[in-house]
Amino acid sequence: MDYASVFSSPVGQLTIMADDDSVYAITFAKKDIIGLTENDLTKRAWKQLHDYFEGRLTVFDFPIKQKGTAFQQTVWQKLLGVAYGKTVSYAKFSAHQPLAIRAIAAANGKNNIAIVVPCHRVIGSNGKLVGYAGGLWRKQWLLQHEREVAQQGQTELKF
């Protein structure tokens, strides 16, 4: 069965979607959730997102699972290793597979669990903010928020 919660955040409305076992989407995109109710997982995700935006939470611990290819799953798992308040360039993120930089960027763009799977922490190799499905202004806001809370990190690489 599917469940949903809606969360009004400083960067717009987020829709949290889950099944009985895991959260499978957190998105800025409008979703048809008519007839769906909340469950413990969507409520838990809502609470943790609230704490994230309040600056009280830096690591999410609810179960997540999104559909994707084995390659996409690998990229999303690696995204979870990008520390709160930090950024990494696409070149550095794909250093283990330099010929796959475009495929890695495409997989990053297919991430359906915004903020929790922190694709917003990956920036252009030139240090600029690039490509965020939620819009670059949200990416900038999220990075700035994390930098302020962590009192570290940067939104652009300094060369």
Side-chain angles (χ1 to χ4, degrees), residues 7-10 14 16 43-57 60 145:
F7 177 72
S8 293
S9 80
L14 288 163
I16 304 162
K43 290 177 186 176
R44 184 173 164 194
W46 186 100
K47 169 76 169 101
Q48 288 188 22
L49 283 164
H50 178 267
D51 289 348
Y52 167 87
F53 283 108
E54 291 289 317
R56 293 189 301 261
L57 182 124
F60 299 93
H145 170 70

Side-chain angles (χ1 to χ4, degrees), residues 78 88-101 104:
K78 189 173 178 188
V88 63
S89 72
Y90 273 103
K92 191 168 194 171
F93 190 77
S94 64
H96 66 291
Q97 293 179 293
L99 298 178
I101 192 167
I104 289 169

